[in-house]
Amino acid sequence: MLGKIEKVIEEKVRPSLLSHEGDVQIVDFTDGILRIRLTGQCSGCPSAKLTTEELIGKTVMSEIPEVTDVVLVNEVNPELLDFAKKLLNHQIER
């Protein structure tokens, strides 16, 4: 199933995201729910939720009926989080 989802994303979603210097990664697909992460310029974009619903969700769900929902996962990069903690604890000189 992941291969089928990735093919739809590659052909019908990714070109639009790449035109904005962004991309999408599949995090998980369980029980009909596709969890994704936006990367590049799309990560943290104010329109990320709209992009997930209108572009990615509608496209993938219309092509693959087994996908019943697409959810945006907002995770902080572990290295960035570690850096921020060190910076806040004055363990890094500016």
Side-chain angles (χ1 to χ4, degrees), residues 14-24 38-43:
R14 192 162 277 133
S16 179
L17 297 177
L18 290 173
S19 72
H20 294 271
E21 298 180 20
D23 203 355
V24 61
L38 295 176
T39 62
Q41 294 298 316
C42 292
S43 175

Side-chain angles (χ1 to χ4, degrees), residues 1-8 26-29 34 64:
M1 180 60 67
L2 284 177
K4 193 174 178 183
I5 294 169
E6 184 61 47
K7 184 174 188 228
V8 169
I26 296 172
V27 174
D28 182 55
F29 178 67
L34 177 64
I64 306 169

Side-chain angles (χ1 to χ4, degrees), residues 60-72:
V60 173
M61 289 188 293
S62 71
E63 296 284 326
I64 306 169
E66 294 89 350
V67 177
T68 57
D69 197 10
V70 177
V71 176
L72 178 62

Side-chain angles (χ1 to χ4, degrees), residues 52-65:
T52 300
E53 293 171 358
E54 295 297 318
L55 173 65
I56 303 168
K58 283 186 177 179
T59 302
V60 173
M61 289 188 293
S62 71
E63 296 284 326
I64 306 169

